Amino acid sequence: MNTSTDVPAELNFVKAGLLEPLPADFQLLIIGGGYSGKRLAAEVQRRGGKVLITKRQNQNADFQLLFNSETGELPPLEALAGTTHLLSTAPPELGGTDPCLRCLGPLLQELPLRWVGYLSSTGVYGDSQGRWVDEQTAPNEPLQARSAARLACERAWADQGLPLQIFRLPGIYGPGRNPLAALSRGLGRLVHKPGQVFGRIHVDDIVGALLHCIALAPAQRPALLNVIDNLPAPSSNTWSYAAHLLGCELPAFQSYASIEAELSPMAKSFWQENRRVSNQLLCVELAYQLRYPTYREGLRACFNEEGFLNPHQQD
């Protein structure tokens, strides 16, 4: 995805009849114009809502605001006037503080906010040795440093007295962020660790879940929500299915034990935790229908959207 409006026609939740129209005075401020933020901004614009999105560098777009927590460049209050909804996608700072709250906390209190969302991580649950966890599960400490920082930011946001929802996300994939491109170039690693599974979510289901929650009455919005698909699975499964879609050979199989010593500490940390995260609150109690219930539907959509061609499907 190259711009905030570069979204395929099928990502139109209004035409699909899945969402109510946005309120006439709706104005969304997105802190952090990354992968998920851009995708959400595009759908809000498509539905006629006003959206402002912060960038670390000025790109001279009407809907973009300069915000750089490292240099102290902040958007003026008058530029944010009328903001009714806020989503922060900004990661924690190195010290574990939240850059949005540190720099914009007092300013946010001046806005007429009716909904605030914070994108966190399912990493805050820690390692459950493959067992299921849900929103009632306490973190299993000690946590990875990045997850401990996320949990600290969650708690900092909860202390602000804002109409807050925290969304815990697993690995995010979607167009331009999946195994297809690497496999099409003959790259990638097929690594398997017995019993290890990973959770994942397609970026369009992040967008859908956020808008679904925004459309709920305030009393119906849970303070904490897992946004994750139905099928925790080994990473080797996703690579295998991507190869099936492309009609290409898989990389050579490697056991995790055989490559562990060569991994960076960061890469190794992802394999040191194993958990299954429940989406029952989102999909059953709140009745959100996943567009991509498993990696199979999601990768197939990426395959079609990105224009890959399976040689076995050619005429």
Side-chain angles (χ1 to χ4, degrees):
M1 166 146 168
N2 297 320
T3 71
S4 65
T5 57
D6 183 16
V7 173
E10 58 265 27
L11 182 59
N12 191 324
F13 295 92
V14 171
K15 285 187 178 179
L18 298 178
L19 295 171
E20 296 295 324
L22 294 170
D25 64 344
F26 181 93
Q27 179 171 301
L28 173 66
L29 170 63
I30 301 176
I31 305 294
Y35 188 66
S36 301
K38 287 181 186 177
R39 199 81 165 177
L40 175 62
E43 182 57 26
V44 170
Q45 289 177 321
R46 183 182 296 279
R47 296 177 59 203
K50 184 176 181 181
V51 60
L52 302 170
I53 188 166
T54 66
K55 304 289 287 187
R56 292 172 64 85
Q57 295 181 338
N58 195 348
Q59 298 185 355
N60 298 317
D62 291 339
F63 58 88
Q64 293 181 355
L65 299 172
L66 186 62
F67 171 45
N68 190 320
S69 60
E70 295 180 0
T71 63
E73 294 175 278
L74 308 179
L77 178 60
E78 55 268 25
L80 307 181
T83 295
T84 58
H85 294 70
L86 166 71
L87 176 71
S88 177
T89 72
E93 297 173 311
L94 290 178
T97 55
D98 185 272
C100 179
L101 291 179
R102 181 175 64 82
C103 297
L104 303 177
L107 184 151
L108 299 182
Q109 298 293 335
E110 301 297 319
L111 300 176
L113 293 172
R114 301 201 292 262
W115 177 89
V116 176
Y118 174 67
L119 298 190
S120 185
S121 166
T122 56
V124 300
Y125 292 113
D127 180 28
S128 71
Q129 299 180 339
R131 294 186 295 272
W132 285 96
V133 298
D134 61 21
E135 289 84 355
Q136 302 302 314
T137 304
N140 186 16
E141 301 188 68
L143 298 173
Q144 302 281 354
R146 64 180 180 277
S147 298
R150 281 288 186 189
L151 188 59
C153 289
E154 285 188 7
R155 290 167 175 167
W157 275 99
D159 289 340
Q160 300 304 305
L162 297 169
L164 175 71
Q165 281 194 283
I166 294 170
F167 298 89
R168 289 177 175 170
L169 310 178
I172 302 169
Y173 75 102
R177 187 185 285 191
N178 60 71
L180 292 164
L183 282 173
S184 69
R185 299 194 301 269
L187 304 175
R189 302 182 80 169
L190 187 65
V191 180
H192 182 69
K193 183 180 181 182
Q196 179 82 39
V197 296
F198 295 96
R200 53 191 60 81
I201 190 69
H202 192 289
V203 65
D204 290 353
D205 273 315
I206 298 174
V207 172
L210 292 173
L211 292 175
H212 184 83
C213 286
I214 287 172
L216 294 173
Q220 295 178 297
R221 299 170 182 156
L224 182 63
L225 192 61
N226 297 327
V227 181
I228 192 166
D229 75 13
N230 293 338
L231 185 61
S235 62
S236 55
N237 286 25
T238 60
W239 285 90
S240 297
Y241 191 72
H244 164 72
L245 292 172
L246 291 167
C248 69
E249 293 185 1
L250 277 168
F253 177 89
Q254 297 174 296
S255 68
Y256 174 75
S258 70
I259 67 165
E260 182 178 10
E262 67 187 71
L263 294 177
S264 68
M266 175 62 77
K268 191 180 298 183
S269 70
F270 287 101
W271 292 87
Q272 291 173 342
E273 295 181 345
N274 189 17
R275 58 184 165 266
R276 289 172 166 83
V277 180
S278 171
N279 64 13
Q280 292 299 292
L281 179 54
L282 173 67
C283 295
V284 176
E285 296 184 39
L286 299 185
Y288 175 70
Q289 291 186 318
L290 289 164
R291 293 174 61 81
Y292 307 111
T294 77
Y295 65 85
R296 299 184 189 95
E297 295 88 354
L299 284 176
R300 192 155 56 241
C302 293
F303 177 87
N304 293 331
E305 182 172 335
E306 295 181 73
F308 287 103
L309 184 64
N310 185 322
H312 300 303
Q313 296 175 342
Q314 298 183 49
D315 294 333

